[in-house]
Amino acid sequence: MPFYKDPSVKYKPFASNIKLQDRKWPSRTLKKAPRWLATDLRDGNQSLPDPMNLEEKKLMLSKLCELGFKEIEVAFPSASNVDFQFTQYAVKNVPDDVAIQVLSPCREPLIERTVESLVGAKNAIVHIYLATSPCFREIVFNDMSHEDCIEKAVKCAKLVRSLTKDHPDRQDTNWSFEFSPETFSDSEPEFVLEICEAVKAAWEPTEENPIVFNLPATVEMTTPNVYADQIEYFAQKISEREKVCISLHPHNDRGCAVAAAELAQLAGADRVEGCLFGNGERTGNVDIVTLALNLYTQGVSPNLDFSDIASCIEVVEKCNKIPVHARAPYGGQLVVCAFSGSHQDAIKKGFEKYDKKVKAVQAKEGPDAVVPWKMPYLPLDPQDIGRTYEAIIRVNSQSGKGGSSWVILKNLELDLPRDLQIAFSKIVQNQTEVVGRELKSDELISLFEDSYFVGSHSDAGKFEFIDYKFDKSPKHSTLSVKLSDGTTQWDLEGKGNGPISSFIDAVNTNFHTQLDVKNYHEHSLGKSSHSKAATYISVSHNGFVQWGVGVHEDTTQASLLALLSCINGLERANKFSSI
Ligand SMILES: CC(=O)SCCNC(=O)CCNC(=O)[C@H](O)C(C)(C)COP(=O)(O)OP(=O)(O)OC[C@H]1O[C@@H](n2cnc3c(N)ncnc32)[C@H](O)[C@@H]1OP(=O)(O)O
Ligand SMILES: CC(C)C(=O)C(=O)O
């Protein structure tokens, strides 16, 4: 098959059929959430290679309710017994404020079976569809005329009416009605209006219980601005607008479903149908997670709760048996991760500034005060959707010092001084090249502890710390320190104006070395009275610089451990011998 040099011989550009005067949507912004309809159990389910079994359907339904959906399309009840029975399960089990929606084609026996499945529901929406576009009328319905199409839709609307709101035995249910002119976006706009007016007249909606006209981009065929124009045109022209709820049902064939849904809401739509993480026919239905969190990050409540996105992903993956893409907006595993050095640097600095601001504002205004989010590379605070900060920064060969020091800070609470960050990042870089992949957090932590002999690794070097005694005098302090290498024990003594200089004196005198302290940093760990001190020291010896880290409840011992860490580092690099 050729990939055409001139595709216009085969594909014609979408001929926009809208003559919209004075369009309003381009200058509007989204200020409130739409009514949402989750169709994971219908459009989502019908497109799965392995449709959900009963247990999976129950799990999905319960998750959708928990997320806060108030309208859920649970099935196509005339398709199978499983769909029928599941609708009855939903009737009995959804909370009273949730409306169950089901779908049927415009085929009378199927409509009857569909409505039967809803008997006993508190709130039910019967949804019927009929394709209206020239392509479908010609190909699927064998040249069905406009008139025949309208007649069929009206007949079915009347049938639904007689089986629901006009049925004397079914008055305990709050019945609503939805009509979808399927393939709306490829249909003649005037014809869509004509068929919807006829269906509306047959149903006779009220302001309190409007009819839902769901206007699907059954197949996405053009740019989202055209869909927005089509919706604005319909919204302008349909009569009794207050008795009509305009619903969107965008598919994602061109990858623009989210944009199309957003622009079409600006154009006047009230409601959006979609699926979690964009499951659905072909490329999927519009992704409701993205739409909702797009609103959230603009400061608009989506009226859906994604505070535990991980459990949402877990349910979606279990029920659909399709993984959520690692780059799916907001939820994807990699979307809050930065591997590259400059991104990590910016995020690390961003968190330092933000945390400082939060502390200052909360000290002034109380612990519940919230600071507006301003963070390079992260449009959403990962904590808001239940993701931990540890996952944000991950380290591979593209990372710089900021990434590995962030992981150490978040896991060990060690706030490494800049020069130590640089020294450690060289060790990390070397290791990522050796293994040829990302280093996981626990590998980085081990690498750090091994390199600087901290924590449980403090015994890994040649010298082990046994004990010390420090006599402070105004002129010259004296330090006695016991070290061991497992076979020999050294009792060293040195003088200086503090424990560090005394230790250096003790080592230089005993081992005939010329150690010189270059850097010293210290901070406390933890907030309790048992908090520890973390000390970072670098020493030079014969032009070679080695960093060491010491952590201990006793500040002096923390410094001595850091010095011993330096000596063990020098020893390991064969740099700890006298000249
Ligand atoms: C865009 C959408 O997602 S629409 C929803 C689609 N979902 C599904 O189809 C899932 C459930 N469907 C099913 O299980 C089956 O299709 C059933 C049980 C409903 C019907 O099965 P069948 O009777 O075997 O019909 P079949 O599946 O072949 O459907 C095609 C028939 O429906 C007709 N049809 C298609 N859409 C509609 C409609 N909206 N209204 C009326 N008839 C329609 C077609 O013209 C065709 O009729 P024909 O056989 O006279 O040519
Ligand atoms: C039934 C309708 C709403 C549909 O699924 C579509 O057009 O994609």
Side-chain angles (χ1 to χ4, degrees), residues 42-43 46 76 78-80 83 103-107 110 128-131 136 140-141 152 182 218 249 251 281:
R42 198 281 294 172
D43 211 332
Q46 78 185 32
F76 193 124
S78 63
S80 67
D83 274 44
L103 180 66
S104 170
C106 284
R107 289 167 62 179
L110 301 193
I128 62 169
Y129 68 100
L130 184 63
F136 274 57
V140 183
F141 297 129
K152 199 178 192 52
E182 193 201 350
T218 304
H249 182 107
H251 279 272
E281 291 283 3

PDB file of all heavy atoms in Angstrom, residues 42-43 46 76 78-80 83 103-107 110 128-131 136 140-141 152 182 218 249 251 281, ligand 1:
ATOM      1  N   ARG A  42     -19.501   1.764  29.975  1.00  0.00           N
ATOM      2  CA  ARG A  42     -20.213   1.553  28.713  1.00  0.00           C
ATOM      3  C   ARG A  42     -19.263   1.769  27.530  1.00  0.00           C
ATOM      4  O   ARG A  42     -18.732   0.816  26.978  1.00  0.00           O
ATOM      5  CB  ARG A  42     -21.434   2.498  28.643  1.00  0.00           C
ATOM      6  CG  ARG A  42     -22.472   2.065  27.603  1.00  0.00           C
ATOM      7  CD  ARG A  42     -22.097   2.437  26.186  1.00  0.00           C
ATOM      8  NE  ARG A  42     -22.078   3.891  25.972  1.00  0.00           N
ATOM      9  CZ  ARG A  42     -21.620   4.449  24.854  1.00  0.00           C
ATOM     10  NH1 ARG A  42     -21.169   3.696  23.854  1.00  0.00           N
ATOM     11  NH2 ARG A  42     -21.605   5.758  24.718  1.00  0.00           N
ATOM     12  N   ASP A  43     -18.951   3.008  27.185  1.00  0.00           N
ATOM     13  CA  ASP A  43     -18.076   3.231  26.023  1.00  0.00           C
ATOM     14  C   ASP A  43     -16.692   2.649  26.312  1.00  0.00           C
ATOM     15  O   ASP A  43     -16.060   2.036  25.441  1.00  0.00           O
ATOM     16  CB  ASP A  43     -17.965   4.739  25.721  1.00  0.00           C
ATOM     17  CG  ASP A  43     -17.763   5.014  24.247  1.00  0.00           C
ATOM     18  OD1 ASP A  43     -17.210   4.154  23.558  1.00  0.00           O
ATOM     19  OD2 ASP A  43     -18.151   6.103  23.782  1.00  0.00           O
ATOM     20  N   GLN A  46     -17.064  -1.293  26.256  1.00  0.00           N
ATOM     21  CA  GLN A  46     -17.353  -1.922  24.960  1.00  0.00           C
ATOM     22  C   GLN A  46     -16.120  -1.949  24.052  1.00  0.00           C
ATOM     23  O   GLN A  46     -16.104  -2.646  23.042  1.00  0.00           O
ATOM     24  CB  GLN A  46     -18.511  -1.188  24.257  1.00  0.00           C
ATOM     25  CG  GLN A  46     -18.104   0.115  23.584  1.00  0.00           C
ATOM     26  CD  GLN A  46     -19.281   0.882  22.988  1.00  0.00           C
ATOM     27  OE1 GLN A  46     -20.381   0.829  23.490  1.00  0.00           O
ATOM     28  NE2 GLN A  46     -19.037   1.609  21.920  1.00  0.00           N
ATOM     29  N   PHE A  76     -24.929  -1.177  28.515  1.00  0.00           N
ATOM     30  CA  PHE A  76     -25.753  -1.221  27.307  1.00  0.00           C
ATOM     31  C   PHE A  76     -26.634  -2.455  27.554  1.00  0.00           C
ATOM     32  O   PHE A  76     -26.332  -3.557  27.083  1.00  0.00           O
ATOM     33  CB  PHE A  76     -24.811  -1.418  26.108  1.00  0.00           C
ATOM     34  CG  PHE A  76     -25.378  -1.191  24.759  1.00  0.00           C
ATOM     35  CD1 PHE A  76     -24.800  -0.270  23.891  1.00  0.00           C
ATOM     36  CD2 PHE A  76     -26.473  -1.922  24.295  1.00  0.00           C
ATOM     37  CE1 PHE A  76     -25.294  -0.066  22.620  1.00  0.00           C
ATOM     38  CE2 PHE A  76     -26.977  -1.720  23.023  1.00  0.00           C
ATOM     39  CZ  PHE A  76     -26.380  -0.790  22.187  1.00  0.00           C
ATOM     40  N   SER A  78     -29.252  -3.995  26.716  1.00  0.00           N
ATOM     41  CA  SER A  78     -29.816  -4.940  25.750  1.00  0.00           C
ATOM     42  C   SER A  78     -28.721  -5.779  25.094  1.00  0.00           C
ATOM     43  O   SER A  78     -29.013  -6.693  24.329  1.00  0.00           O
ATOM     44  CB  SER A  78     -30.597  -4.184  24.683  1.00  0.00           C
ATOM     45  OG  SER A  78     -29.727  -3.347  23.956  1.00  0.00           O
ATOM     46  N   ALA A  79     -27.467  -5.502  25.394  1.00  0.00           N
ATOM     47  CA  ALA A  79     -26.385  -6.231  24.727  1.00  0.00           C
ATOM     48  C   ALA A  79     -26.262  -7.651  25.264  1.00  0.00           C
ATOM     49  O   ALA A  79     -26.032  -8.581  24.497  1.00  0.00           O
ATOM     50  CB  ALA A  79     -25.062  -5.485  24.902  1.00  0.00           C
ATOM     51  N   SER A  80     -26.395  -7.817  26.578  1.00  0.00           N
ATOM     52  CA  SER A  80     -26.168  -9.149  27.149  1.00  0.00           C
ATOM     53  C   SER A  80     -26.829  -9.248  28.513  1.00  0.00           C
ATOM     54  O   SER A  80     -27.152  -8.221  29.128  1.00  0.00           O
ATOM     55  CB  SER A  80     -24.668  -9.403  27.316  1.00  0.00           C
ATOM     56  OG  SER A  80     -24.165  -8.530  28.301  1.00  0.00           O
ATOM     57  N   ASP A  83     -24.816  -7.372  31.153  1.00  0.00           N
ATOM     58  CA  ASP A  83     -25.068  -5.930  31.179  1.00  0.00           C
ATOM     59  C   ASP A  83     -26.394  -5.617  31.873  1.00  0.00           C
ATOM     60  O   ASP A  83     -26.504  -4.659  32.643  1.00  0.00           O
ATOM     61  CB  ASP A  83     -25.096  -5.345  29.760  1.00  0.00           C
ATOM     62  CG  ASP A  83     -23.719  -4.970  29.266  1.00  0.00           C
ATOM     63  OD1 ASP A  83     -22.796  -5.777  29.483  1.00  0.00           O
ATOM     64  OD2 ASP A  83     -23.573  -3.880  28.688  1.00  0.00           O
ATOM     65  N   LEU A 103     -27.574   2.924  27.791  1.00  0.00           N
ATOM     66  CA  LEU A 103     -27.640   3.284  26.369  1.00  0.00           C
ATOM     67  C   LEU A 103     -28.375   2.220  25.553  1.00  0.00           C
ATOM     68  O   LEU A 103     -28.245   1.023  25.805  1.00  0.00           O
ATOM     69  CB  LEU A 103     -26.212   3.432  25.823  1.00  0.00           C
ATOM     70  CG  LEU A 103     -26.080   3.800  24.344  1.00  0.00           C
ATOM     71  CD1 LEU A 103     -26.628   5.211  24.069  1.00  0.00           C
ATOM     72  CD2 LEU A 103     -24.624   3.728  23.886  1.00  0.00           C
ATOM     73  N   SER A 104     -29.127   2.727  24.574  1.00  0.00           N
ATOM     74  CA  SER A 104     -29.781   1.816  23.625  1.00  0.00           C
ATOM     75  C   SER A 104     -29.808   2.459  22.240  1.00  0.00           C
ATOM     76  O   SER A 104     -29.948   3.675  22.116  1.00  0.00           O
ATOM     77  CB  SER A 104     -31.230   1.558  24.067  1.00  0.00           C
ATOM     78  OG  SER A 104     -31.930   0.866  23.048  1.00  0.00           O
ATOM     79  N   PRO A 105     -29.719   1.651  21.179  1.00  0.00           N
ATOM     80  CA  PRO A 105     -29.950   2.213  19.842  1.00  0.00           C
ATOM     81  C   PRO A 105     -31.449   2.479  19.672  1.00  0.00           C
ATOM     82  O   PRO A 105     -32.265   2.054  20.494  1.00  0.00           O
ATOM     83  CB  PRO A 105     -29.471   1.104  18.901  1.00  0.00           C
ATOM     84  CG  PRO A 105     -29.506  -0.146  19.701  1.00  0.00           C
ATOM     85  CD  PRO A 105     -29.402   0.229  21.155  1.00  0.00           C
ATOM     86  N   CYS A 106     -31.797   3.143  18.601  1.00  0.00           N
ATOM     87  CA  CYS A 106     -33.216   3.411  18.342  1.00  0.00           C
ATOM     88  C   CYS A 106     -33.876   2.170  17.759  1.00  0.00           C
ATOM     89  O   CYS A 106     -34.248   2.135  16.565  1.00  0.00           O
ATOM     90  CB  CYS A 106     -33.354   4.599  17.385  1.00  0.00           C
ATOM     91  SG  CYS A 106     -33.061   6.165  18.201  1.00  0.00           S
ATOM     92  N   ARG A 107     -33.978   1.138  18.558  1.00  0.00           N
ATOM     93  CA  ARG A 107     -34.651  -0.095  18.123  1.00  0.00           C
ATOM     94  C   ARG A 107     -35.616  -0.466  19.231  1.00  0.00           C
ATOM     95  O   ARG A 107     -35.208  -0.713  20.369  1.00  0.00           O
ATOM     96  CB  ARG A 107     -33.616  -1.203  17.880  1.00  0.00           C
ATOM     97  CG  ARG A 107     -32.775  -0.930  16.617  1.00  0.00           C
ATOM     98  CD  ARG A 107     -31.561  -1.820  16.528  1.00  0.00           C
ATOM     99  NE  ARG A 107     -31.871  -3.232  16.443  1.00  0.00           N
ATOM    100  CZ  ARG A 107     -30.918  -4.177  16.335  1.00  0.00           C
ATOM    101  NH1 ARG A 107     -29.635  -3.835  16.294  1.00  0.00           N
ATOM    102  NH2 ARG A 107     -31.244  -5.444  16.274  1.00  0.00           N
ATOM    103  N   LEU A 110     -35.214  -3.288  21.819  1.00  0.00           N
ATOM    104  CA  LEU A 110     -34.023  -3.059  22.649  1.00  0.00           C
ATOM    105  C   LEU A 110     -34.301  -1.956  23.667  1.00  0.00           C
ATOM    106  O   LEU A 110     -33.838  -2.024  24.806  1.00  0.00           O
ATOM    107  CB  LEU A 110     -32.812  -2.704  21.776  1.00  0.00           C
ATOM    108  CG  LEU A 110     -32.394  -3.740  20.724  1.00  0.00           C
ATOM    109  CD1 LEU A 110     -31.015  -3.419  20.152  1.00  0.00           C
ATOM    110  CD2 LEU A 110     -32.359  -5.159  21.304  1.00  0.00           C
ATOM    111  N   ILE A 128     -30.630   7.259  24.248  1.00  0.00           N
ATOM    112  CA  ILE A 128     -30.731   6.577  22.950  1.00  0.00           C
ATOM    113  C   ILE A 128     -29.923   7.347  21.911  1.00  0.00           C
ATOM    114  O   ILE A 128     -29.703   8.557  22.056  1.00  0.00           O
ATOM    115  CB  ILE A 128     -32.199   6.403  22.475  1.00  0.00           C
ATOM    116  CG1 ILE A 128     -32.871   7.762  22.263  1.00  0.00           C
ATOM    117  CG2 ILE A 128     -33.003   5.543  23.447  1.00  0.00           C
ATOM    118  CD1 ILE A 128     -34.221   7.650  21.539  1.00  0.00           C
ATOM    119  N   TYR A 129     -29.470   6.628  20.885  1.00  0.00           N
ATOM    120  CA  TYR A 129     -28.644   7.288  19.864  1.00  0.00           C
ATOM    121  C   TYR A 129     -29.099   6.875  18.471  1.00  0.00           C
ATOM    122  O   TYR A 129     -29.626   5.781  18.278  1.00  0.00           O
ATOM    123  CB  TYR A 129     -27.149   6.961  20.054  1.00  0.00           C
ATOM    124  CG  TYR A 129     -26.787   5.514  19.787  1.00  0.00           C
ATOM    125  CD1 TYR A 129     -26.221   5.117  18.572  1.00  0.00           C
ATOM    126  CD2 TYR A 129     -27.003   4.537  20.763  1.00  0.00           C
ATOM    127  CE1 TYR A 129     -25.872   3.790  18.332  1.00  0.00           C
ATOM    128  CE2 TYR A 129     -26.667   3.206  20.534  1.00  0.00           C
ATOM    129  CZ  TYR A 129     -26.097   2.845  19.324  1.00  0.00           C
ATOM    130  OH  TYR A 129     -25.774   1.530  19.084  1.00  0.00           O
ATOM    131  N   LEU A 130     -28.881   7.787  17.556  1.00  0.00           N
ATOM    132  CA  LEU A 130     -29.161   7.505  16.148  1.00  0.00           C
ATOM    133  C   LEU A 130     -28.208   8.359  15.312  1.00  0.00           C
ATOM    134  O   LEU A 130     -28.137   9.585  15.505  1.00  0.00           O
ATOM    135  CB  LEU A 130     -30.617   7.886  15.813  1.00  0.00           C
ATOM    136  CG  LEU A 130     -31.081   7.562  14.393  1.00  0.00           C
ATOM    137  CD1 LEU A 130     -31.046   6.046  14.129  1.00  0.00           C
ATOM    138  CD2 LEU A 130     -32.498   8.072  14.154  1.00  0.00           C
ATOM    139  N   ALA A 131     -27.513   7.690  14.397  1.00  0.00           N
ATOM    140  CA  ALA A 131     -26.519   8.446  13.611  1.00  0.00           C
ATOM    141  C   ALA A 131     -27.213   9.401  12.648  1.00  0.00           C
ATOM    142  O   ALA A 131     -28.239   9.059  12.036  1.00  0.00           O
ATOM    143  CB  ALA A 131     -25.629   7.478  12.853  1.00  0.00           C
ATOM    144  N   PHE A 136     -22.958   8.167   7.650  1.00  0.00           N
ATOM    145  CA  PHE A 136     -23.607   7.047   8.336  1.00  0.00           C
ATOM    146  C   PHE A 136     -24.992   6.757   7.753  1.00  0.00           C
ATOM    147  O   PHE A 136     -25.401   5.599   7.654  1.00  0.00           O
ATOM    148  CB  PHE A 136     -23.720   7.334   9.849  1.00  0.00           C
ATOM    149  CG  PHE A 136     -22.487   6.940  10.628  1.00  0.00           C
ATOM    150  CD1 PHE A 136     -21.244   7.466  10.291  1.00  0.00           C
ATOM    151  CD2 PHE A 136     -22.564   6.051  11.690  1.00  0.00           C
ATOM    152  CE1 PHE A 136     -20.097   7.115  11.008  1.00  0.00           C
ATOM    153  CE2 PHE A 136     -21.428   5.684  12.411  1.00  0.00           C
ATOM    154  CZ  PHE A 136     -20.185   6.222  12.065  1.00  0.00           C
ATOM    155  N   VAL A 140     -24.368   3.141   6.794  1.00  0.00           N
ATOM    156  CA  VAL A 140     -24.888   2.222   7.831  1.00  0.00           C
ATOM    157  C   VAL A 140     -26.379   1.986   7.654  1.00  0.00           C
ATOM    158  O   VAL A 140     -26.876   0.881   7.849  1.00  0.00           O
ATOM    159  CB  VAL A 140     -24.582   2.768   9.241  1.00  0.00           C
ATOM    160  CG1 VAL A 140     -25.054   1.798  10.328  1.00  0.00           C
ATOM    161  CG2 VAL A 140     -23.088   3.054   9.405  1.00  0.00           C
ATOM    162  N   PHE A 141     -27.101   3.085   7.308  1.00  0.00           N
ATOM    163  CA  PHE A 141     -28.569   2.959   7.231  1.00  0.00           C
ATOM    164  C   PHE A 141     -29.084   2.914   5.790  1.00  0.00           C
ATOM    165  O   PHE A 141     -30.263   3.181   5.542  1.00  0.00           O
ATOM    166  CB  PHE A 141     -29.240   4.109   7.999  1.00  0.00           C
ATOM    167  CG  PHE A 141     -28.921   4.096   9.475  1.00  0.00           C
ATOM    168  CD1 PHE A 141     -28.455   5.245  10.112  1.00  0.00           C
ATOM    169  CD2 PHE A 141     -29.099   2.956  10.225  1.00  0.00           C
ATOM    170  CE1 PHE A 141     -28.160   5.241  11.466  1.00  0.00           C
ATOM    171  CE2 PHE A 141     -28.802   2.941  11.582  1.00  0.00           C
ATOM    172  CZ  PHE A 141     -28.329   4.077  12.202  1.00  0.00           C
ATOM    173  N   LYS A 152     -37.813   8.127  13.031  1.00  0.00           N
ATOM    174  CA  LYS A 152     -37.321   7.045  13.900  1.00  0.00           C
ATOM    175  C   LYS A 152     -36.975   7.606  15.276  1.00  0.00           C
ATOM    176  O   LYS A 152     -37.333   7.019  16.312  1.00  0.00           O
ATOM    177  CB  LYS A 152     -36.077   6.434  13.247  1.00  0.00           C
ATOM    178  CG  LYS A 152     -35.706   5.057  13.750  1.00  0.00           C
ATOM    179  CD  LYS A 152     -34.477   4.590  12.959  1.00  0.00           C
ATOM    180  CE  LYS A 152     -34.126   3.150  13.103  1.00  0.00           C
ATOM    181  NZ  LYS A 152     -35.132   2.162  12.882  1.00  0.00           N
ATOM    182  N   GLU A 182     -25.699  10.716  16.872  1.00  0.00           N
ATOM    183  CA  GLU A 182     -24.345  10.155  16.747  1.00  0.00           C
ATOM    184  C   GLU A 182     -23.672  10.730  15.509  1.00  0.00           C
ATOM    185  O   GLU A 182     -24.352  11.060  14.532  1.00  0.00           O
ATOM    186  CB  GLU A 182     -24.454   8.629  16.648  1.00  0.00           C
ATOM    187  CG  GLU A 182     -23.138   7.914  16.829  1.00  0.00           C
ATOM    188  CD  GLU A 182     -23.140   6.512  16.246  1.00  0.00           C
ATOM    189  OE1 GLU A 182     -24.216   6.018  15.859  1.00  0.00           O
ATOM    190  OE2 GLU A 182     -22.052   5.927  16.168  1.00  0.00           O
ATOM    191  N   THR A 218     -18.066  11.653  17.530  1.00  0.00           N
ATOM    192  CA  THR A 218     -17.971  10.185  17.538  1.00  0.00           C
ATOM    193  C   THR A 218     -16.620   9.735  16.998  1.00  0.00           C
ATOM    194  O   THR A 218     -16.001   8.813  17.508  1.00  0.00           O
ATOM    195  CB  THR A 218     -19.116   9.611  16.675  1.00  0.00           C
ATOM    196  OG1 THR A 218     -20.341  10.117  17.201  1.00  0.00           O
ATOM    197  CG2 THR A 218     -19.134   8.106  16.672  1.00  0.00           C
ATOM    198  N   HIS A 249     -19.218  14.701  24.000  1.00  0.00           N
ATOM    199  CA  HIS A 249     -18.752  13.316  24.053  1.00  0.00           C
ATOM    200  C   HIS A 249     -17.609  13.215  23.041  1.00  0.00           C
ATOM    201  O   HIS A 249     -17.753  12.592  21.998  1.00  0.00           O
ATOM    202  CB  HIS A 249     -19.934  12.385  23.705  1.00  0.00           C
ATOM    203  CG  HIS A 249     -19.631  10.928  23.764  1.00  0.00           C
ATOM    204  ND1 HIS A 249     -20.097  10.101  24.763  1.00  0.00           N
ATOM    205  CD2 HIS A 249     -18.905  10.119  22.946  1.00  0.00           C
ATOM    206  CE1 HIS A 249     -19.700   8.871  24.551  1.00  0.00           C
ATOM    207  NE2 HIS A 249     -18.971   8.851  23.440  1.00  0.00           N
ATOM    208  N   HIS A 251     -14.288  12.081  21.192  1.00  0.00           N
ATOM    209  CA  HIS A 251     -13.284  11.014  21.067  1.00  0.00           C
ATOM    210  C   HIS A 251     -11.963  11.650  20.648  1.00  0.00           C
ATOM    211  O   HIS A 251     -11.894  12.830  20.310  1.00  0.00           O
ATOM    212  CB  HIS A 251     -13.762   9.948  20.077  1.00  0.00           C
ATOM    213  CG  HIS A 251     -14.731   8.980  20.726  1.00  0.00           C
ATOM    214  ND1 HIS A 251     -14.322   7.856  21.376  1.00  0.00           N
ATOM    215  CD2 HIS A 251     -16.087   9.013  20.832  1.00  0.00           C
ATOM    216  CE1 HIS A 251     -15.374   7.210  21.858  1.00  0.00           C
ATOM    217  NE2 HIS A 251     -16.467   7.892  21.551  1.00  0.00           N
ATOM    218  N   GLU A 281     -13.457   3.765  22.839  1.00  0.00           N
ATOM    219  CA  GLU A 281     -13.271   3.286  21.462  1.00  0.00           C
ATOM    220  C   GLU A 281     -12.032   3.904  20.786  1.00  0.00           C
ATOM    221  O   GLU A 281     -11.779   5.102  20.886  1.00  0.00           O
ATOM    222  CB  GLU A 281     -14.508   3.637  20.604  1.00  0.00           C
ATOM    223  CG  GLU A 281     -15.781   2.866  20.974  1.00  0.00           C
ATOM    224  CD  GLU A 281     -15.790   1.427  20.461  1.00  0.00           C
ATOM    225  OE1 GLU A 281     -14.796   0.981  19.871  1.00  0.00           O
ATOM    226  OE2 GLU A 281     -16.825   0.748  20.668  1.00  0.00           O
TER     227      GLU A 281
HETATM  228  C1  LIG B   1     -20.833   5.123  18.959  1.00  0.00           C
HETATM  229  C2  LIG B   1     -21.196   4.040  19.934  1.00  0.00           C
HETATM  230  O1  LIG B   1     -20.360   3.697  20.729  1.00  0.00           O
HETATM  231  S1  LIG B   1     -22.697   3.366  19.918  1.00  0.00           S
HETATM  232  C3  LIG B   1     -22.698   2.069  21.057  1.00  0.00           C
HETATM  233  C4  LIG B   1     -22.149   0.839  20.499  1.00  0.00           C
HETATM  234  N1  LIG B   1     -22.128  -0.216  21.433  1.00  0.00           N
HETATM  235  C5  LIG B   1     -22.432  -1.455  21.122  1.00  0.00           C
HETATM  236  O2  LIG B   1     -22.747  -1.764  19.995  1.00  0.00           O
HETATM  237  C6  LIG B   1     -22.285  -2.501  22.190  1.00  0.00           C
HETATM  238  C7  LIG B   1     -23.513  -3.362  22.364  1.00  0.00           C
HETATM  239  N2  LIG B   1     -24.068  -3.866  21.130  1.00  0.00           N
HETATM  240  C8  LIG B   1     -24.471  -5.138  20.974  1.00  0.00           C
HETATM  241  O3  LIG B   1     -24.307  -5.981  21.845  1.00  0.00           O
HETATM  242  C9  LIG B   1     -25.187  -5.490  19.721  1.00  0.00           C
HETATM  243  O4  LIG B   1     -24.799  -4.571  18.697  1.00  0.00           O
HETATM  244  C10 LIG B   1     -26.711  -5.447  19.919  1.00  0.00           C
HETATM  245  C11 LIG B   1     -27.113  -6.624  20.818  1.00  0.00           C
HETATM  246  C12 LIG B   1     -27.163  -4.162  20.520  1.00  0.00           C
HETATM  247  C13 LIG B   1     -27.398  -5.597  18.582  1.00  0.00           C
HETATM  248  O5  LIG B   1     -26.931  -6.729  17.923  1.00  0.00           O
HETATM  249  P1  LIG B   1     -27.463  -7.140  16.450  1.00  0.00           P
HETATM  250  O6  LIG B   1     -28.941  -7.120  16.477  1.00  0.00           O
HETATM  251  O7  LIG B   1     -26.744  -8.361  16.079  1.00  0.00           O
HETATM  252  O8  LIG B   1     -27.037  -5.929  15.525  1.00  0.00           O
HETATM  253  P2  LIG B   1     -25.599  -5.468  15.103  1.00  0.00           P
HETATM  254  O9  LIG B   1     -24.660  -5.504  16.240  1.00  0.00           O
HETATM  255  O10 LIG B   1     -25.150  -6.167  13.903  1.00  0.00           O
HETATM  256  O11 LIG B   1     -25.930  -3.929  14.876  1.00  0.00           O
HETATM  257  C14 LIG B   1     -26.065  -3.411  13.622  1.00  0.00           C
HETATM  258  C15 LIG B   1     -27.500  -3.069  13.318  1.00  0.00           C
HETATM  259  O12 LIG B   1     -27.911  -1.982  14.164  1.00  0.00           O
HETATM  260  C16 LIG B   1     -28.310  -0.865  13.348  1.00  0.00           C
HETATM  261  N3  LIG B   1     -28.019   0.328  14.081  1.00  0.00           N
HETATM  262  C17 LIG B   1     -26.815   0.886  14.329  1.00  0.00           C
HETATM  263  N4  LIG B   1     -26.977   1.966  15.054  1.00  0.00           N
HETATM  264  C18 LIG B   1     -28.275   2.100  15.287  1.00  0.00           C
HETATM  265  C19 LIG B   1     -29.049   3.033  15.954  1.00  0.00           C
HETATM  266  N5  LIG B   1     -28.470   4.026  16.608  1.00  0.00           N
HETATM  267  N6  LIG B   1     -30.350   2.866  15.996  1.00  0.00           N
HETATM  268  C20 LIG B   1     -30.955   1.850  15.356  1.00  0.00           C
HETATM  269  N7  LIG B   1     -30.286   0.928  14.696  1.00  0.00           N
HETATM  270  C21 LIG B   1     -28.961   1.063  14.655  1.00  0.00           C
HETATM  271  C22 LIG B   1     -27.512  -1.043  12.100  1.00  0.00           C
HETATM  272  O13 LIG B   1     -28.039  -0.355  11.030  1.00  0.00           O
HETATM  273  C23 LIG B   1     -27.578  -2.549  11.931  1.00  0.00           C
HETATM  274  O14 LIG B   1     -28.813  -2.878  11.399  1.00  0.00           O
HETATM  275  P3  LIG B   1     -28.983  -3.922  10.173  1.00  0.00           P
HETATM  276  O15 LIG B   1     -28.538  -5.237  10.720  1.00  0.00           O
HETATM  277  O16 LIG B   1     -30.424  -3.870   9.866  1.00  0.00           O
HETATM  278  O17 LIG B   1     -28.114  -3.446   9.084  1.00  0.00           O
END
